[in-house]
Amino acid sequence: MGKLKLHWQMLIAILAAVVIGLLFDIKTTLLGVSLYSIFDFIGMLFLNALKMLIVPLVMSSIIVGIAGLGGSDNLGRLGAKTVGFYLCSSLLAILIGLLLVNLLSPGVIDGEAAGSRLNLSEPEAVSSQLVAVEGRGVGDITGVFLRMVPPNIVKAAADGQMLGLIFFSLLFGVFMTRISKEPAQTLLGFWNGVYETMMEITLFIMKFAPLGVLGLVAKTILATGFDAFQPLMMFFITVVLALAVHTFVTLALVLRLAGLNPLKHYRAMLPAMLTAFSTASSSGTLPVTIECVEKNAGVSNRTSAFVLPLGATINMDGTALYECVAAIFIAQAYGLELSFVTQFTIVLVALLTSIGVAGIPSASLVAITVILGVIGLPLEAIGMLLVTDRILDMLRTSVNVFSDSCGAVVIARSEGEQGLLV
Ligand code: ASP
């Protein structure tokens, strides 16, 4: 297992799951135990392991990212520009995803919600839950903000109320930099340690991803046969299309508006994008990104050393877009009409969680559990996303890295740097 790259292992696991699904059905037993319940157990164990990380991972990555910005005026200005650029580009990415997922409706097949083909539980059971969370009118927008400021942060974390936790972490990161130096350093060291440990645990859990995929995919196919693939194909196409539009239209326009040459920039960034594609980790790709941005695109080290590491942590256009498409796809598959308020919530949470997501493989899965929790959809639906997750992860990570590099060149330009690709 150890030698083969993870994405190959996962592809093999998917193939194995498909073969198992072809050979057996839901009634098959092994030594008296149903095959379905064995795969269900393996899959759930893997999902639980991912979910276990949510609270510490989200808190520490946001706090470390925001606190890292503190310091002199110079850093403050660069920080404001960087965060501003990254927030706008992620928002644009999410809106493209939102538009395409509403236009193409990948969760609806032949006019019917695809939920039953995907072995999801009865839509009625879910929609009563959803109605409890969402509603109509202005009163519910105030509800979103009320959830953002929970009266008890520990209870919010325990209840999976991530919006409150994210907002609290943002405040914590900002105000941590305003206290005296010594305790601030201690806190930063602590949260850095938590963050790095969480990244390590995530990587460790990902070692079991092939097994998790096998369990979750085999379980789905055993129960549903191949009906599962048709809705997923449309989902796959929707995500790929939206990623392409963002990379080749939106970001190209942004570069043009900044007076830069998009074609030259694509060429300059190719090694970084290919590395991102094969590692599915923007953090892992960072050294290559810095090298390409400095050597090929002509950005100074002063700018790139600040903008790119921050980008690798907080700027994930591809991830934000993917989260939004995935959440709405799942809602469509359950046959739910999402109100404006709920779609607004999804956009907001996708934006905030994409900031909190770590630049490591499959980190979005954790963020999607957050979104589903916020809008009140069952987390089990995430299992089916694993079928296409690895390849989409490779693609969205390339977009994440490309957008980081766009931030670097545009900000370098605004700082009056010469020697850029124009
Ligand atoms: N793998 C992505 C990255 O490193 C994060 C994700 O979307 O899962 O940028």
Side-chain angles (χ1 to χ4, degrees):
M1 283 287 263
K3 287 206 194 99
L4 211 55
K5 288 259 169 57
L6 188 67
H7 56 270
W8 286 118
Q9 293 181 27
M10 292 176 79
L11 274 174
I12 292 169
I14 291 171
L15 284 180
V18 171
V19 172
I20 290 168
L22 273 176
L23 295 179
F24 307 105
D25 65 24
I26 195 159
K27 296 191 199 85
T28 315
T29 57
L30 187 74
L31 302 172
V33 186
S34 98
L35 207 54
Y36 177 86
S37 59
I38 297 175
F39 287 124
D40 188 34
F41 170 73
I42 299 174
M44 286 315 280
L45 207 57
F46 176 66
L47 267 188
N48 278 2
L50 277 178
K51 283 192 251 163
M52 178 175 80
L53 302 178
I54 297 178
V55 172
L57 187 66
V58 167
M59 277 196 84
S60 59
S61 66
I62 293 181
I63 292 174
V64 170
I66 297 291
L69 277 180
S72 71
D73 287 352
N74 225 357
L75 280 189
R77 191 192 65 244
L78 211 55
K81 275 190 200 172
T82 309
V83 172
F85 181 93
Y86 286 158
L87 281 179
C88 291
S89 72
S90 297
L91 190 63
L92 283 173
I94 298 174
L95 293 178
I96 290 168
L98 186 72
L99 187 75
L100 285 179
V101 74
N102 277 307
L103 277 179
L104 300 178
S105 296
V108 180
I109 304 280
D110 300 334
E112 263 179 51
S116 54
R117 301 187 197 215
L118 291 162
N119 193 27
L120 299 178
S121 45
E122 282 305 298
E124 291 77 27
V126 183
S127 83
S128 60
Q129 270 186 41
L130 190 75
V131 169
V133 189
E134 78 159 2
R136 282 144 220 91
V138 188
D140 300 294
I141 296 194
T142 60
V144 174
F145 288 103
L146 277 179
R147 284 203 300 283
M148 251 166 115
V149 190
N152 181 339
I153 190 67
V154 179
K155 187 166 181 300
D159 291 347
Q161 240 302 352
M162 300 312 293
L163 210 52
L165 199 66
I166 290 169
F167 184 64
F168 176 78
S169 309
L170 285 172
L171 283 182
F172 198 101
V174 169
F175 285 94
M176 204 172 93
T177 58
R178 304 211 179 157
I179 60 176
S180 53
K181 202 166 173 221
E182 205 180 309
Q185 280 305 325
T186 312
L187 279 176
L188 191 60
F190 169 77
W191 286 111
N192 235 327
V194 173
Y195 177 62
E196 280 175 24
T197 310
M198 286 307 126
M199 300 248 300
E200 288 296 321
I201 300 180
T202 309
L203 285 177
F204 171 70
I205 291 174
M206 284 309 293
K207 293 209 166 90
F208 299 94
L211 269 181
V213 169
L214 179 71
L216 292 161
V217 179
K219 168 192 147 183
T220 309
I221 301 178
L222 276 179
T224 61
F226 287 91
D227 282 356
F229 286 95
Q230 198 185 353
L232 282 175
M233 225 32 235
M234 270 313 284
F235 168 66
F236 187 86
I237 292 169
T238 309
V239 175
V240 173
L241 207 64
L243 288 174
V245 170
H246 186 62
T247 309
F248 299 111
V249 181
T250 320
L251 289 176
L253 273 175
V254 169
L255 290 172
R256 257 269 162 267
L257 285 177
L260 297 155
N261 185 328
L263 285 179
K264 285 187 184 165
H265 192 66
Y266 291 125
R267 204 169 313 133
M269 292 311 299
L270 201 58
M273 287 173 81
L274 286 178
T275 311
F277 183 79
S278 52
T279 60
S281 166
S282 33
S283 297
T285 309
L286 188 60
V288 190
T289 320
I290 294 179
E291 168 124 347
C292 290
V293 164
E294 288 182 10
K295 298 239 168 76
N296 304 349
V299 175
S300 73
N301 177 262
R302 171 188 164 277
T303 306
S304 77
F306 176 78
V307 175
L308 290 174
L310 195 68
T313 327
I314 67 165
N315 181 49
M316 306 217 171
D317 290 11
T319 296
L321 181 157
Y322 176 74
E323 287 176 24
C324 173
V325 175
I328 294 181
F329 164 67
I330 288 172
Q332 288 173 347
Y334 275 115
L336 300 170
E337 279 288 327
L338 293 179
S339 68
F340 173 74
V341 175
T342 312
Q343 301 219 12
F344 172 77
T345 311
I346 292 174
V347 170
L348 192 68
V349 183
L351 186 64
L352 292 176
T353 50
S354 74
I355 297 171
V357 157
I360 52 174
S362 293
S364 295
L365 291 180
V366 182
I368 292 167
T369 60
V370 176
I371 301 193
L372 295 184
V374 168
I375 59 171
L377 283 168
L379 299 186
E380 64 163 53
I382 208 169
M384 68 183 177
L385 296 183
L386 285 172
V387 178
T388 50
D389 191 65
R390 184 66 189 192
I391 180 92
L392 289 178
D393 195 5
M394 295 159 104
L395 291 168
R396 68 184 181 248
T397 307
S398 303
V399 177
N400 291 346
V401 165
F402 185 70
S403 155
D404 293 346
S405 76
C406 291
V409 288
V410 170
I411 288 164
R413 180 110 179 136
S414 77
E415 293 278 302
E417 284 189 25
Q418 305 297 322
L420 299 163
L421 297 174
V422 286

